Each structure stands twice: as C-alpha cells, then as structure tokens.
Amino acid sequence: MTHNLKLKKPLAFFDLETTGINIQKDRIVEISVVKALMNGQIESKTFRVNPGIPIPLESSLIHGIYDEDVKDCPTFKNFAKTLAQFLQGCDLAGFNSNRFDVPMLVEEFLRAEVEFDIKNRKLVDAQRIFHLMEPRNLSAAYKFYCGKDLENAHSAHADTVATFEVLCAQVERYAGVKIKNDKGELYEPVQNDIEALHNLTASKIVDFANRMSYNSKGEEIINFGKHNGKRVVDVLAQEPSYYDWMMKGDFPLDTKRKLTEIKMRMAFGRK
C-alpha cells in the first residue's frame, strides 16, 4: 500500500476501540495505526489492550472484543512508550478523531505517565471534511434520493413534501438490501413497515433531549454526566437526591416526566 499525500512529516492515521465513550472512565481495548511516510510508503501496527476494567456487553457487541480476548494482553501502560516512539514526530489523523480518539489517547498516555505532547502536531479529522463537503441536510437527501433540487427550502410545506418524497424513495431504494447487525447476522433494516422504521430510527429514545436512552437489554440508562451508562433505576436507588437535582435543574419537561415515570414504576415495585 502506498499514498500520494504531500507530507512534511509522517501522518499517523489511527482508530480506537474502547470500553465506552467516557474519556475519563473508559479505556482503550484496541488501537490500530497506519503511518503514511514522506516517501509514499506505509507502516502499520495494531495493539490489543487489556483495559484493566470489564468491557461492557454493549461495547463488545459493537467492536467484537470481549474480556476473554484481552485478558492476556498488555495494559496500555505496558506498551505506552513503544507506541509513543512509533508516533514520534507524526501528525495525527482519524475519523471523528478530534472529538474522541485524540482526547482518549492523550488521556491514556497521561494515566501511563508517558510524555505525548500534541502541541506541535497537526490534527486532521476526515469526518469534518466529509460533513463539510457532503452536507447531511434535507436538500442533500432530496437531491441524492429523488434526483431533484429542493425549491423554497426551509418553507414548511416544501420541506414537508420533500421529506415525504425522501422516505418513499428510501423505502423503495433499500427494499431487500441487507446489512449486518451487531451480532454479525444479516438483516433488512429498511422495510415498507412503519413499526420496522420506528424500531430503526427511534427505538432507543427515552426522552427527546437524549438525557436517557436504552441499553442493549432495553433498560433505561443515564446518557450524560457522572452516571453516564448506568441504569436509571440503580442511580435513583443508590442516590435518591439525584431525582430532586434533575427535577430542579434546567432539563426539559419531557425529560423530567420520563424520569418521574421511572421513579413511579420503581415505587410500585416494577423495574
């Protein structure tokens, strides 16, 4: 594999698989680096990592890495110096890397007490380029699925009609198209069936502000803050004052209503 990028220093593309998305609490379980050199050549390394904490099932279902797979692997601290040397003098690139991968990697190096300064590194995030050059709005969807330009965009009627046409086109376009689910099984996500479309697009919604969501077992979990990823019923049971804090806080009424419904369900012995 070679490349045609114009480089002044090596550019290290990297991606992380982790126990979760909390930068402070979660840990890396795999890191892969593809280093583009100035001469057009490529070097790559992949490390499996023992995170030192259990890998939640919902994370394992996404990346396919389970506790058993990493129990004999080195911890990040064990190979942090080797990784830092491999990345020495490199700029960094990834997909959504500036919001997640770079902060997570820096945090891991800090915990390992290994110097990894990014001040003099250029950071390139391919996702930002993708979103900039390929807008993900209704006009773009209308053009892609229906082959037409959206006239009078942002007028309620025009946008509503366009959305109707887009959905009809999506149902037709993806009829019979199968993809793999979290378990690696083929399934047909887009069907001409409203319940199926609901399950595809809204099944994880607890409250519309997304302060809570459902985990892989269908249980409500907190989606932010210090209790991120914890079951709502566990948080309310272990920290009763959390309910009052949210009810008095600057949260949408819908969020407060859903939280109250969960609390009332607990009061009647139904979890």
Side-chain angles (χ1 to χ4, degrees):
M1 182 186 296
T2 59
H3 70 87
N4 59 1
L5 295 169
K6 296 179 180 180
L7 304 177
K8 294 181 179 179
K9 61 170 68 173
L11 180 61
F13 295 79
F14 76 102
D15 184 67
L16 306 178
E17 303 299 343
T18 63
T19 60
I21 59 173
N22 187 305
I23 303 297
Q24 293 175 293
K25 297 181 180 179
D26 285 304
R27 300 290 186 270
I28 295 171
V29 297
E30 186 176 69
I31 175 170
S32 186
V33 183
V34 173
K35 184 160 65 173
L37 305 177
M38 283 94 77
N39 62 4
Q41 297 300 305
I42 296 290
E43 294 179 3
S44 65
K45 290 184 183 291
T46 297
F47 304 88
R48 278 280 174 94
V49 189
N50 185 334
I53 60 174
I55 305 174
L57 178 60
E58 51 263 38
S59 297
S60 293
L61 289 173
I62 293 172
H63 50 55
I65 302 172
Y66 295 79
D67 291 332
E68 183 69 19
D69 299 321
V70 295
K71 64 181 180 64
D72 296 323
C73 293
T75 65
F76 187 88
K77 189 169 186 176
N78 289 148
F79 71 87
K81 290 183 179 179
T82 300
L83 179 60
Q85 289 171 359
F86 187 63
L87 295 173
Q88 187 172 2
C90 294
D91 292 326
L92 302 175
F95 195 86
N96 194 35
S97 49
N98 291 348
R99 295 183 63 184
F100 179 72
D101 298 86
V102 171
M104 175 67 82
L105 185 62
V106 169
E107 197 74 10
E108 287 279 36
F109 274 121
L110 287 171
R111 280 191 285 263
E113 299 180 338
V114 171
E115 181 69 22
F116 186 72
D117 194 350
I118 64 169
K119 290 181 181 177
N120 296 318
R121 302 176 192 262
K122 300 294 189 295
L123 304 178
V124 180
D125 192 332
Q127 187 190 64
R128 294 291 301 274
I129 298 171
F130 176 47
H131 288 172
L132 174 66
M133 301 305 293
E134 303 293 340
R136 289 299 184 259
N137 55 29
L138 180 58
S139 295
Y142 194 57
K143 183 70 173 180
F144 180 80
Y145 288 107
C146 304
K148 296 184 283 187
D149 293 320
L150 178 54
E151 304 292 340
N152 299 318
H154 302 301
S155 75
H157 180 70
D159 287 359
T160 302
V161 171
T163 303
F164 161 73
E165 290 187 46
V166 165
L167 180 60
C168 291
Q170 287 175 326
V171 168
E172 182 177 351
R173 183 186 186 94
Y174 298 123
V177 176
K178 295 183 179 182
I179 62 174
K180 289 184 178 180
N181 62 17
D182 294 336
K183 298 178 181 178
E185 302 165 335
L186 287 173
Y187 80 114
E188 185 181 334
V190 181
Q191 302 175 36
N192 198 352
D193 177 86
I194 296 304
E195 183 175 356
L197 295 175
H198 165 79
N199 290 336
L200 176 66
T201 62
S203 63
K204 289 189 177 296
I205 293 176
V206 175
D207 66 310
F208 290 109
N210 201 32
R211 295 297 187 176
M212 294 174 284
S213 64
Y214 291 106
N215 63 16
S216 59
K217 297 179 181 178
E219 302 165 320
E220 297 101 338
I221 59 173
I222 300 294
N223 228 12
F224 71 101
K226 65 178 183 178
H227 293 307
N228 186 47
K230 295 181 182 178
R231 297 196 314 163
V232 177
V233 292
D234 293 336
V235 173
L236 294 180
Q238 296 165 10
E239 189 180 328
S241 61
Y242 190 80
Y243 174 79
D244 292 331
W245 174 75
M246 283 196 67
M247 296 304 289
K248 294 176 182 177
D250 187 21
F251 295 97
L253 293 176
D254 175 64
T255 299
K256 295 178 180 180
R257 180 183 63 175
K258 294 296 173 57
L259 185 67
T260 299
E261 288 176 0
I262 297 171
K263 182 178 175 64
M264 293 299 294
R265 196 175 69 209
M266 291 173 62
F268 288 98
R270 291 180 284 115
K271 295 186 178 182

